[in-house]
Amino acid sequence: MTSPKNTQKHIVVVGAGAAGMSCAATLANHPDKFKVTVLEKCDLVGGQATSIPLDKQKHGAAWMNNGVQGGSPIFKHTFRFFEEYGHDPQDVKLQVSFGKGVDGFWTNCFPSKLISQFSSDIKKFGFFLKVIKWTMPILGLVPIRIMLRVFFFNKDFGDKMVYPLIALFLGTGNQTANVPSAIVERLFSDPNMKLWNYDPDTLLPNLPAMVTFDHLDMFYKKWSEDLQRKGVDIRTGREVESVLSRSGENVKLRIKNNDREQWAVEEFDELVLCVLADDALRILGKTATWQEKLVLGGAAFYDDITITHTDTEYFECHYETHFKPELCAEPKTEDQRKQVAFSNGEDSTAGFAPMYYTYTYQQDPRLIEMSFNCTNYQHQLREAHLNSQGTFEPVYQTIFLNKDQRYLWTIDEINEAKIIKRNWWHQLGHRWQHYVRVVPGMMFLHGKNSTWFAGSWTLVNMHELACVSGIAAAYRLGGDYVKFDEFAEDFFSKYLLLSHGVIYSWEEKRRQRLKT
């Protein structure tokens, strides 16, 4: 009789971010079927979902999240993993501050003059979203910058309102103007993707619900330790330099131990690449097929830098950080009067305390810088700040997009003495070409040459998508999808169809027949 151990497939997962960990966690539910090895080149798991230490005496908390800060209440798979390890997300009401000055500023907290000025464009934008939905994928693939001209929107409406709003979610690489219209429509209309509803009066609704993530370093540490207890071999500081061969059902990798500057060659049955598309191509090297080069080569990435700092003078110079009567339009309804009272602190609440900001370059209004007031956003900092009545020093993050546009950046204006940390990120640009070449092409790559792919770049850059992509790769390898929420299951089934070309309900019936 063959022992269960001999029937195991040895799966190697390259990359221990959200996608890699989700894939490993799903496979770990079947120790009789899979032996799982995770290789991560960094010293910690988590990918871009990292935390950095802070001086608690100065800022009110000993840590803050760095590359990933929060998301939408629809992130069901993400929250399920969080809750499993006691790191529930915390609710927060989104407050934004876009632009500077009376002629350039608007917010979702109180009526602003810019919203009054573009009221007709805002209403027409609802019709625009419906047209894109009706004509998908034909018009949906056209970049938003072109469609705004086709529909005769005011140029300033696009520059000052639409582009900054899209950048709130997809601002990597300053490619907002090149985002396909279908993605913009999905962000407003798709129940599985939207962050907020379209508001015909204000474009962005007043204080929509968002969430802020708990201590990500601690969460990923607990997740990693638990998977190791379940038998998953997680090795950090191990860089996969190249795939030497993918013949038959055997994958041979050259792996570097970064700590010891040593190399080893190891063999596995299946390979799951949970790394960025360009990294996947580099790792595949000479073994990459022409299809992989065609599809993966269509993903464009840009180098952005995040500066974590405490320079309040810089922040107030470039953004509207406080309620000012001159920024407010005359309230016309009782709701608007309440918004003004809230923002002005008249009802004894915290008032206008934006967490997300954009700064537009005058040289090219389609390009921006983005910033967070992390003290207003991250729950551990916000609570400390409120409880101390503002005595702690605020922490900010300013993100400068696309190093090729370095000549535009205001980075040199930040006081060097007030910088806590610099982080470079290699980020996906959500260009329209990505949705013509990469997204529809992925289903033709998965499973070929014993290789699978996962990562948020396979569709859209968000933590939830990374988790779902990892679960989908594990599912295709033979793991089970753990059903826990109808909304989450619907999202998973849509991703499985789009990225893997597999109809979930049919696959479930097929598996059920095999069991019986």
Side-chain angles (χ1 to χ4, degrees), residues 7 37 84 117 135 151 194 231 326 369 391 448 459 471:
T7 65
T37 297
E84 187 173 350
Q117 178 183 344
T135 58
F151 278 76
K194 67 180 179 181
E326 62 268 25
E369 294 172 359
T391 58
K448 301 296 189 298
L459 185 55
I471 297 169

Side-chain angles (χ1 to χ4, degrees), residues 224-291:
S224 175
E225 290 172 348
D226 185 49
L227 292 184
Q228 287 175 310
R229 283 192 292 269
K230 293 178 179 178
V232 177
D233 180 16
I234 299 179
R235 305 184 220 161
T236 56
R238 301 296 191 276
E239 182 175 359
V240 178
E241 289 197 332
S242 62
V243 175
L244 299 179
S245 66
R246 293 184 289 167
S247 56
E249 294 185 0
N250 178 274
V251 178
K252 189 178 294 185
L253 305 181
R254 177 178 166 84
I255 304 167
K256 179 184 178 183
N257 183 332
N258 290 331
D259 295 330
R260 300 180 181 178
E261 290 292 320
Q262 294 177 344
W263 288 261
V265 175
E266 296 188 39
E267 296 183 8
F268 305 89
D269 296 314
E270 301 275 353
L271 166 66
V272 187
L273 286 170
C274 299
V275 296
L276 298 179
D278 53 355
D279 284 334
L281 271 180
R282 176 184 56 78
I283 291 170
L284 290 173
K286 295 179 180 179
T287 71
T289 65
W290 69 266
Q291 295 99 327

Side-chain angles (χ1 to χ4, degrees), residues 384-416:
H385 187 74
L386 292 175
N387 292 336
S388 69
Q389 298 183 334
T391 58
F392 287 117
E393 187 175 20
V395 183
Y396 311 107
Q397 283 191 328
T398 302
I399 307 172
F400 301 95
L401 305 169
N402 191 353
K403 70 177 182 181
D404 291 339
Q405 296 164 352
R406 173 70 173 80
Y407 63 94
L408 293 169
W409 293 356
T410 63
I411 190 170
D412 295 329
E413 298 177 32
I414 299 177
N415 187 333
E416 183 72 24

Side-chain angles (χ1 to χ4, degrees), residues 66-272:
N66 192 20
V68 177
Q69 308 230 12
S72 165
I74 67 173
F75 286 11
K76 301 288 187 177
H77 298 86
T78 296
F79 299 160
R80 178 173 169 269
F81 288 126
F82 283 173
E83 291 162 5
E84 187 173 350
Y85 299 99
H87 286 268
D88 293 4
Q90 303 293 318
D91 295 338
V92 65
K93 297 295 185 181
L94 177 68
Q95 295 193 36
V96 304
S97 174
F98 293 123
K100 180 76 173 175
V102 174
D103 296 329
F105 166 82
W106 69 283
T107 181
N108 68 325
C109 298
F110 56 84
S112 62
K113 296 179 180 179
L114 206 62
I115 288 178
S116 298
Q117 178 183 344
F118 295 124
S119 60
S120 60
D121 284 291
I122 292 172
K123 286 181 170 60
K124 186 166 68 171
F125 196 73
F127 173 71
F128 163 78
L129 293 175
K130 290 179 181 178
V131 171
I132 296 301
K133 183 176 181 179
W134 294 334
T135 58
M136 224 172 318
I138 300 172
L139 292 183
L141 293 175
V142 179
I144 183 68
R145 59 181 168 79
I146 294 177
M147 293 307 299
L148 289 178
R149 291 203 300 268
V150 169
F151 278 76
F152 299 103
F153 283 103
N154 186 296
K155 181 179 182 298
D156 281 345
F157 172 68
D159 292 345
K160 297 179 179 180
M161 296 195 71
V162 176
Y163 295 148
L165 187 56
I166 300 172
L168 173 59
F169 191 46
L170 301 174
T172 53
N174 251 334
Q175 294 298 304
T176 304
N178 296 318
V179 170
S181 299
I183 294 300
V184 178
E185 188 275 332
R186 294 289 84 189
L187 292 178
F188 280 100
S189 306
D190 189 338
N192 297 117
M193 287 183 64
K194 67 180 179 181
L195 292 180
W196 50 76
N197 294 313
Y198 158 75
D199 189 300
D201 296 319
T202 57
L203 189 60
L204 177 63
N206 177 245
L207 305 181
M210 298 286 286
V211 295
T212 177
F213 294 165
D214 201 12
H215 196 165
L216 288 173
D217 263 5
M218 190 63 65
F219 159 70
Y220 271 97
K221 180 182 178 182
K222 290 180 181 178
W223 198 5
S224 175
E225 290 172 348
D226 185 49
L227 292 184
Q228 287 175 310
R229 283 192 292 269
K230 293 178 179 178
V232 177
D233 180 16
I234 299 179
R235 305 184 220 161
T236 56
R238 301 296 191 276
E239 182 175 359
V240 178
E241 289 197 332
S242 62
V243 175
L244 299 179
S245 66
R246 293 184 289 167
S247 56
E249 294 185 0
N250 178 274
V251 178
K252 189 178 294 185
L253 305 181
R254 177 178 166 84
I255 304 167
K256 179 184 178 183
N257 183 332
N258 290 331
D259 295 330
R260 300 180 181 178
E261 290 292 320
Q262 294 177 344
W263 288 261
V265 175
E266 296 188 39
E267 296 183 8
F268 305 89
D269 296 314
E270 301 275 353
L271 166 66
V272 187

Side-chain angles (χ1 to χ4, degrees), residues 272-273 280 284 292 296 442 445-446 451-455 457 469 473 500:
V272 187
L273 286 170
L284 290 173
E292 289 167 338
L296 301 180
M442 291 307 303
L445 302 186
H446 291 300
T451 305
W452 309 81
F453 301 88
W457 60 269
S469 70
H500 289 261

Side-chain angles (χ1 to χ4, degrees), residues 27 40 304 393 432 439 479 488:
L27 295 172
E40 168 58 51
D304 308 333
E393 187 175 20
W432 65 270
V439 174

